[in-house]
Amino acid sequence: MKIRTKVIVISVVALLAWLVFVWPTLKAELEGSMVYRQSDFREYYLLTHDLLKEMPRISDDYFFAFANVSGQVTFISTVTFKNTTVTSNIKKYLLSRGWEEQKTCHLEAECWQRNGNREVLSVVTSTWENYVRVQIEDSPNLDIFYANNPK
């Protein structure tokens, strides 16, 4: 009986530890969105798109956001760099990763896509508010837009 109790206790502790670690993902799923910084380890590790993790930091003041738009099965991951509007390092980075700038965009931004990938990356620059936002969307709805608007 003691071994069985130990197994149950260990299982419960392991489950609780797992829940604590993945809580940001569950919270984002329930609330639909979350804003966080790179220093928020769990959120950053679980919610940030790999491309954004490796993106050049064009400002010392930046934050991340994640959104899950239910009903459309759309996942949006962003990084916003404050106090800058210079995007040249981001463009070089995207080109080095095989992304190509598109002629048309579903937003008022520069849109990028990579062959064989339905994700769309947009670079929004606001000179008025002095920021650059890089956003990656993964949505089947974007396939329709880009099928009708080739490069």
Side-chain angles (χ1 to χ4, degrees):
M1 187 70 168
K2 285 185 174 186
I3 293 175
R4 188 174 185 193
T5 304
K6 286 181 182 180
V7 169
I8 291 172
V9 168
I10 290 170
S11 298
V12 168
V13 169
L15 177 65
L16 290 174
W18 179 79
L19 281 174
V20 166
F21 185 75
V22 300
W23 177 245
T25 303
L26 296 174
K27 186 176 178 185
E29 288 288 332
L30 296 172
E31 293 179 2
S33 65
M34 180 174 281
V35 175
Y36 55 95
R37 298 220 173 254
Q38 187 168 340
S39 59
D40 299 320
F41 175 78
R42 291 179 305 164
E43 291 85 348
Y44 179 76
Y45 178 76
L46 294 171
L47 300 174
T48 307
H49 192 285
D50 288 340
L51 190 73
L52 298 183
K53 287 179 184 175
E54 299 170 9
M55 182 156 292
R57 304 301 189 237
I58 60 172
S59 168
D60 291 334
D61 190 4
Y62 60 94
F63 62 90
F64 296 89
F66 174 83
N68 179 3
V69 182
S70 62
Q72 298 178 2
V73 192
T74 302
F75 299 98
I76 303 170
S77 187
T78 67
V79 59
T80 302
F81 299 100
K82 296 170 144 185
N83 304 317
T84 188
T85 57
V86 179
T87 60
S88 57
N89 286 342
I90 290 174
K91 290 179 182 183
K92 287 177 194 173
Y93 170 73
L94 293 173
L95 288 169
S96 75
R97 294 305 196 100
W99 291 76
E100 296 178 10
E101 190 170 355
Q102 305 297 293
K103 289 183 179 178
T104 58
C105 189
H106 65 291
L107 301 171
E108 194 168 320
E110 296 174 4
C111 280
W112 296 71
Q113 239 182 340
R114 193 169 46 185
N115 261 349
N117 191 341
R118 78 174 186 193
E119 293 175 319
V120 174
L121 182 139
S122 54
V123 179
V124 178
T125 304
S126 173
T127 53
W128 182 61
E129 295 182 58
N130 198 26
Y131 72 79
V132 172
R133 177 170 294 133
V134 181
Q135 172 176 300
I136 298 178
E137 290 181 62
D138 185 1
S139 172
N141 297 332
L142 295 173
D143 287 342
I144 296 166
F145 177 82
Y146 283 102
N148 296 326
N149 295 292
K151 293 187 272 179

